Amino acid sequence: MRLLTLSATIFMLLFTATISQAASKAPSWSARAYDGEKLSQHDYEDSHVLLVFYRGVQCMHCMEQLSGIAKQADEFAERGIKVVAISHDLPSQSTVERIRRANDIEFPQCTDPNLKMFSDFESLDNRRRELHGLVLIDPSRQVLWKSVSEGANTDIDNILKHCDENMSP
């Protein structure tokens, strides 16, 4: 009986977090792309945007995730989702360009050196280390879905499934 009560309590906590998460307004954000262009939520006012918080090009799981998203870029575009990747740091422009060419990455890769966006979107652990985060925001700046974890989500079909579930009326 205690196990059943505990399971029900955990379910309710998760369900409640999902509801409050879906009802929250996304914080204002801006970031500088690797090529120097400044991007912000104002550039995406008419679109859904998927913010992808990643640890950097040295993280092989992050690169696997970004490469997977790039390979399925048409599926994100069909859903009206624009992708913006954010890392705490970006290497030299030539290194980023080489990585982008090798992985066919066309979406912006931005830097957040002060971890402001990571903090605003709760993608830091309690020691202020970057976590892997995915945040789906609608055109009215409502957070529709958020996933933050220690590991990168490299199952792109699963990411698309969550986007579909949370974008449906």
Side-chain angles (χ1 to χ4, degrees), residues 85-101:
I86 300 110
S87 176
H88 72 286
D89 191 26
L90 288 178
S92 70
Q93 186 170 347
S94 62
T95 300
V96 174
E97 287 173 357
R98 183 174 34 80
I99 290 167
R100 289 173 65 79
R101 275 192 309 275

Side-chain angles (χ1 to χ4, degrees), residues 4-5 13 26 32-33 40 50 63 72 75 85 101 148 151 153-154 167:
L4 182 58
T5 303
L13 287 172
R32 183 128 349 246
S40 75
L50 179 67
M63 290 298 93
Q72 291 184 258
E75 293 185 51
R101 275 192 309 275
V148 177
N153 184 345
T154 57
M167 288 173 61

Side-chain angles (χ1 to χ4, degrees), residues 66-83:
L66 294 183
S67 176
I69 291 171
K71 286 177 183 160
Q72 291 184 258
D74 290 345
E75 293 185 51
F76 286 94
E78 287 170 10
R79 290 162 170 82
I81 301 171
K82 295 185 178 177
V83 176

